[in-house]
Amino acid sequence: MLAERARAASHGLALATRAQKDRALEAMADALCTHEDAILAANAEDVARAEDGGAPPNIVDRLRLTPERLAGMAQGLREVAGLPDPVGEVVRGSTLANGLELRQVRVPFGVVGMIYEARPNVTADAAGICLKSGNAVLLRGSSSASASNAAIVAALRSAVADAGLESDVVQLVPADSRDTVKELMRARGLVDVLIPRGGAGLIRSVVEESTVPVIETGVGNCHVYVDRAADLDKALAIVVNAKTQRTSVCNAAESLLVHADVADAFLPRVVAALQDAGVTVHGDAAFQALDGVVPATDEDYAEEYLSLDISAAVVPDLEAAIRHIRRYSSQHTEAIVTEDLAAARHFTAAVDSAAVLVNASTRFTDGGEFGFGAEIGISTQKLHARGPMGLPEMTSTKYVVTGDGHVR
Amino acid sequence: MLAERARAASHGLALATRAQKDRALEAMADALCTHEDAILAANAEDVARAEDGGAPPNIVDRLRLTPERLAGMAQGLREVAGLPDPVGEVVRGSTLANGLELRQVRVPFGVVGMIYEARPNVTADAAGICLKSGNAVLLRGSSSASASNAAIVAALRSAVADAGLESDVVQLVPADSRDTVKELMRARGLVDVLIPRGGAGLIRSVVEESTVPVIETGVGNCHVYVDRAADLDKALAIVVNAKTQRTSVCNAAESLLVHADVADAFLPRVVAALQDAGVTVHGDAAFQALDGVVPATDEDYAEEYLSLDISAAVVPDLEAAIRHIRRYSSQHTEAIVTEDLAAARHFTAAVDSAAVLVNASTRFTDGGEFGFGAEIGISTQKLHARGPMGLPEMTSTKYVVTGDGHVR
């Protein structure tokens, strides 16, 4: 039902001009401000329910909206209005030998389903990115944020209608039962793509059960490899930044590999710096020679901690580092620290991850850092989009071919 | 097991240079010629078995190899060798404000699974396209072609090994039971993408059951819409060509829509021309006024005939044509015949199919016709690739980011 209304509304949105869509985005931003009281009151309900239910402080914090956070959401919508419209972009084109004019043009998917966890800001962000890319969106947030999401979507829908587009291009899917997720996953033909954002369990279940095509996002067991030819000062700064600058995000480093030739020089420094920052190092035998390092198991090397923990191992050479990464990585982001061009070239060619960095923190794998302006998630799959997904990644293409009575 | 060997072999292939891959492709072409006797003998077994089993002549013809067809397969491999290598192509790149150098580079998927029906030429074509795009391939052909496929793959593997690549980059999956298809569909993590080529039933079952990402190909319920402003001579030529030039292919027209304003002038001409070409017209009331037109049901409008049949209806206007297409199309290819620029612009914008043609036969939706040089299939889905898929569509990308100790 919701999906059918989204499909019907998507036809008009696909033909909307950039000017119409940008007007709607500005109206959506304004509406978040004019509906501030209602949204914050609804959010207070969600926060009270979470606290009554004993939710941990970090979860409550992710759920909580403030006037500043709401203003940030509005600002995000205005920034999306300022980005180029991906729809209509000619990806390639040529005139064929027989005179046919061929153009491959970006078009919206049609209907996008977002399935995500607590943060209510995702509701506005996803609605804005989908609208700008010409897609109707079905938003299936967490039940813990249901009052907040309802208030936000009510504001956005009224703004969309005021701006002259169909309000059904933005719809909230009830979060009262898991059945609504199942319906989205079975809505083949009505929903064109599902994007799950959240923990590994959520993403795995959507990937396995959905008959609608899925774009996997965000699980990051990211590695930093410190090569024999590393500048150890840069290595130290990069490891500490990648692990500690923000621990709860998918591009935080979770595992450290160090070439044996620099282990004696680097291990004491890096372990001390990590421990000073509050990090527990789960290491192999070489690391365990240092005070406070706890033994790493196979599970540690496979773990996305999202906390002040890091797994660590010494490797005999570059090839061993690549093999370790091949075995344990979630193919999100890996970094090498080296001054050796051949090592950098081989690592970037042989490591099969969405982003491979040389002498830079894994934290740079991000749509904002990459200059994309807006990001709906970071794809860790190989089909369609890989890495940070901006507006162009929210489109498909079609071929438009113009002739003058051409037959074969 | 096969998939694990493919995965292991894919690592080396991903790093192979264009020169190495082109040498292997030339060797594969040579091997089809030097193994001609063995391949034709194996094919004769398959053909005899099919004939004994009472297979219809068109199926037997698709199965049969001749020295000329084998030479054509070899020529196809040489043409793939002549195409640019998609791997390593920089799709976009920039230097960020902080000095980080960002490049998005094409990389192979890794392991591709092909599931296809009778034609043994697909075995060589798919092996060549996958090898050139740096992908190991698992070929799951039809059991009716199992002897032919085994002989072809044996020849190709020996050539790949002679050229210095691992022979496991090309492997045949036994076709003795449907379990081997199921194993491919469950090989998530080992197989990166599955491409089913064949009938609608095969494709639907793979799409619904696979946990490996799938690229749907080839079901085409293609429409030709003859607008009020059509040049009726062009329209006649296009309809007859689109329907009859080759009926068994996905880009053949299956349905004809005619604007009411030109029905009186066009219907007698088009029905006569189609009937002269042996086509049965399944029409609505307006078409049934003409001799020999049989009544069309809802099923007719939804049908991909792949035969000398066409469904036909008169529509009151352009919008009704678009609504009809939206309801029945498989979103492969639709064509409008019109001299009216506004009608052409609206049709190409509003019709959501992989290819939308103006004044040209639907038969042009084809990798060869589009100048792609090689085609692994025609995608009718919106994720990743849409329309004819050439070598670039057989790749993913990764971001390579180079810094000098950058941290956030």
Side-chain angles (χ1 to χ4, degrees):
Chain A
M1 251 292 288
L2 292 181
E4 280 161 17
R5 282 162 53 196
R7 168 64 62 198
S10 74
H11 299 312
L13 182 59
L15 299 177
T17 61
R18 173 175 177 172
Q20 290 174 300
K21 294 187 287 189
D22 289 353
R23 265 200 304 277
L25 288 161
E26 296 286 354
M28 289 158 73
D30 292 343
L32 290 183
C33 303
T34 53
H35 288 65
E36 179 180 306
D37 292 348
I39 293 169
L40 293 181
N43 182 250
E45 281 178 43
D46 287 334
V47 167
R49 202 172 60 238
E51 285 174 334
D52 289 350
N58 62 326
I59 297 292
V60 175
D61 181 62
R62 283 167 55 175
L63 187 57
R64 181 175 283 122
L65 292 175
T66 62
E68 292 69 35
R69 286 184 178 182
L70 210 49
M73 287 158 62
Q75 181 55 27
L77 290 168
R78 292 189 213 284
E79 285 168 10
V80 170
L83 293 172
D85 188 344
V87 176
E89 186 195 341
V90 178
V91 177
R92 60 176 161 182
S94 62
T95 301
L96 305 179
N98 58 11
L100 277 179
E101 290 171 31
L102 178 74
R103 282 180 298 145
Q104 185 182 18
V105 183
R106 284 198 190 282
V107 295
F109 285 125
V111 179
V112 173
M114 292 287 306
I115 302 174
Y116 54 101
E117 290 177 346
R119 301 178 193 273
N121 64 305
V122 174
T123 305
D125 291 355
I129 290 173
C130 288
L131 188 131
K132 179 78 181 220
S133 53
N135 294 295
V137 68
L138 294 168
L139 298 157
R140 188 2 179 122
S142 160
S143 60
S144 66
S146 57
S148 312
N149 287 338
I152 292 167
V153 169
L156 299 178
R157 283 170 59 90
S158 69
V160 167
D162 289 348
L165 297 176
E166 288 180 64
S167 57
D168 280 348
V169 300
V170 179
Q171 292 183 83
L172 187 66
V173 177
D176 49 352
S177 101
R178 217 184 108 68
D179 288 350
T180 59
V181 174
K182 290 208 170 131
E183 281 164 30
L184 279 178
M185 295 193 294
R186 299 282 148 186
R188 195 173 175 88
L190 290 174
V191 178
D192 293 292
V193 58
L194 278 186
I195 304 178
R197 271 180 69 167
L202 166 71
I203 290 165
R204 192 171 336 108
S205 84
V206 174
V207 163
E208 287 182 0
E209 292 175 41
S210 180
T211 59
V212 173
V214 173
I215 299 180
E216 273 184 88
T217 66
V219 175
N221 178 16
C222 303
H223 294 73
V224 177
Y225 165 62
V226 178
D227 186 46
R228 167 170 61 179
D231 176 323
L232 296 184
D233 293 333
K234 293 178 193 169
L236 191 70
I238 287 170
V239 171
V240 172
N241 180 266
K243 177 67 257 180
T244 68
Q245 197 247 350
R246 196 165 167 206
T247 55
S248 64
V249 289
C250 58
N251 59 15
E254 305 291 5
S255 199
L256 167 65
L257 302 173
V258 178
H259 192 289
D261 288 2
V262 294
D264 285 349
F266 190 60
L267 262 52
R269 290 180 66 191
V270 74
V271 168
L274 286 167
Q275 289 175 342
D276 282 352
V279 177
T280 301
V281 179
H282 305 252
D284 66 353
F287 272 91
Q288 287 171 48
L290 295 157
D291 278 353
V293 172
V294 301
T297 63
D298 223 40
E299 288 69 44
D300 282 299
Y301 292 117
E303 181 80 15
E304 184 188 21
Y305 291 115
L306 300 174
S307 63
L308 287 168
D309 293 85
I310 194 166
S311 64
V314 169
V315 290
D317 54 27
L318 174 57
E319 285 303 331
I322 292 168
R323 278 198 306 273
H324 181 105
I325 289 167
R326 201 167 272 162
R327 177 163 174 198
Y328 293 107
S329 168
S330 62
Q331 300 186 290
H332 185 298
T333 297
E334 330 298 337
I336 182 174
V337 186
T338 190
E339 302 295 313
D340 176 352
L341 181 59
R345 288 188 73 201
H346 186 63
F347 187 86
T348 55
V351 169
D352 185 24
S353 295
V356 188
L357 286 72
V358 180
N359 294 333
S361 169
T362 56
R363 291 277 294 117
F364 283 106
T365 302
D366 173 88
E369 293 293 327
F370 279 9
F372 298 169
E375 175 193 289
I376 195 115
I378 296 179
S379 164
T380 51
Q381 70 178 32
K382 294 184 185 173
L383 221 57
H384 186 73
R386 199 176 189 203
M389 292 170 60
L391 290 172
E393 284 73 26
M394 294 300 286
T395 64
S396 182
T397 61
K398 72 164 78 147
Y399 287 98
V400 177
V401 185
T402 307
D404 187 35
H406 284 65
V407 295
R408 280 179 74 180
Chain B
M1 253 289 291
L2 291 180
E4 281 161 16
R5 282 162 53 195
R7 168 63 63 200
S10 74
H11 299 312
L13 181 60
L15 299 177
T17 61
R18 171 173 180 176
Q20 289 175 301
K21 293 188 286 190
D22 289 352
R23 264 200 305 277
L25 287 162
E26 296 285 355
M28 289 157 73
D30 292 342
L32 290 182
C33 303
T34 54
H35 288 65
E36 179 180 306
D37 292 347
I39 294 169
L40 293 181
N43 182 251
E45 281 178 43
D46 287 334
V47 166
R49 204 172 58 238
E51 285 175 336
D52 289 350
N58 64 326
I59 297 293
V60 174
D61 181 61
R62 283 167 56 176
L63 187 57
R64 181 175 282 121
L65 291 175
T66 61
E68 292 69 34
R69 288 183 177 183
L70 209 50
M73 289 158 60
Q75 181 55 27
L77 291 168
R78 292 189 214 282
E79 285 168 9
V80 171
L83 293 172
D85 188 344
V87 175
E89 186 196 343
V90 178
V91 177
R92 61 177 161 182
S94 63
T95 301
L96 305 179
N98 57 11
L100 275 180
E101 290 170 30
L102 178 73
R103 281 180 297 144
Q104 185 182 19
V105 183
R106 284 199 190 282
V107 296
F109 285 125
V111 178
V112 173
M114 291 288 304
I115 301 174
Y116 54 102
E117 291 178 346
R119 298 178 196 274
N121 64 305
V122 173
T123 305
D125 291 355
I129 290 173
C130 288
L131 188 132
K132 180 78 181 223
S133 54
N135 294 296
V137 66
L138 293 167
L139 297 155
R140 199 334 189 142
S142 160
S143 60
S144 65
S146 57
S148 312
N149 287 338
I152 292 166
V153 170
L156 298 179
R157 283 170 59 90
S158 70
V160 167
D162 288 349
L165 297 175
E166 287 181 65
S167 56
D168 280 348
V169 300
V170 178
Q171 292 183 81
L172 187 66
V173 176
D176 49 351
S177 101
R178 219 185 107 68
D179 289 351
T180 59
V181 174
K182 291 208 169 128
E183 281 165 29
L184 278 178
M185 295 194 295
R186 299 284 148 184
R188 197 173 172 86
L190 290 174
V191 177
D192 293 292
V193 58
L194 277 187
I195 304 178
R197 272 181 67 169
L202 166 71
I203 290 165
R204 193 172 334 110
S205 84
V206 173
V207 163
E208 287 181 1
E209 292 175 40
S210 180
T211 59
V212 173
V214 174
I215 299 180
E216 273 185 87
T217 66
V219 175
N221 179 17
C222 303
H223 294 72
V224 177
Y225 164 62
V226 178
D227 186 47
R228 168 169 60 180
D231 176 322
L232 296 184
D233 293 335
K234 291 179 194 170
L236 191 70
I238 287 169
V239 171
V240 172
N241 180 266
K243 178 66 255 179
T244 69
Q245 197 246 351
R246 196 165 167 205
T247 55
S248 65
V249 289
C250 59
N251 59 15
E254 306 291 5
S255 198
L256 167 65
L257 302 173
V258 178
H259 192 290
D261 288 2
V262 293
D264 285 349
F266 191 60
L267 262 51
R269 289 181 68 192
V270 75
V271 168
L274 286 167
Q275 290 175 342
D276 281 353
V279 177
T280 301
V281 179
H282 305 252
D284 65 355
F287 272 91
Q288 288 171 46
L290 295 157
D291 277 352
V293 173
V294 302
T297 62
D298 224 40
E299 288 68 43
D300 282 300
Y301 292 116
E303 181 80 13
E304 185 188 21
Y305 291 116
L306 299 175
S307 62
L308 286 169
D309 293 86
I310 194 165
S311 63
V314 170
V315 291
D317 55 27
L318 174 57
E319 286 303 331
I322 292 168
R323 278 197 306 274
H324 180 105
I325 288 167
R326 203 167 270 160
R327 176 160 174 202
Y328 293 107
S329 169
S330 63
Q331 301 187 289
H332 184 299
T333 297
E334 330 299 337
I336 182 174
V337 186
T338 190
E339 302 296 312
D340 176 353
L341 181 58
R345 287 189 74 200
H346 185 63
F347 187 86
T348 55
V351 169
D352 186 23
S353 296
V356 188
L357 286 71
V358 179
N359 295 333
S361 169
T362 57
R363 291 278 293 117
F364 283 105
T365 303
D366 173 89
E369 293 293 327
F370 280 10
F372 298 170
E375 176 192 289
I376 195 114
I378 296 179
S379 164
T380 51
Q381 70 177 32
K382 295 185 185 171
L383 220 58
H384 185 72
R386 199 176 190 205
M389 295 170 58
L391 291 171
E393 285 72 26
M394 294 300 287
T395 63
S396 182
T397 62
K398 71 164 79 148
Y399 287 98
V400 176
V401 185
T402 307
D404 187 35
H406 285 65
V407 295
R408 281 179 74 178

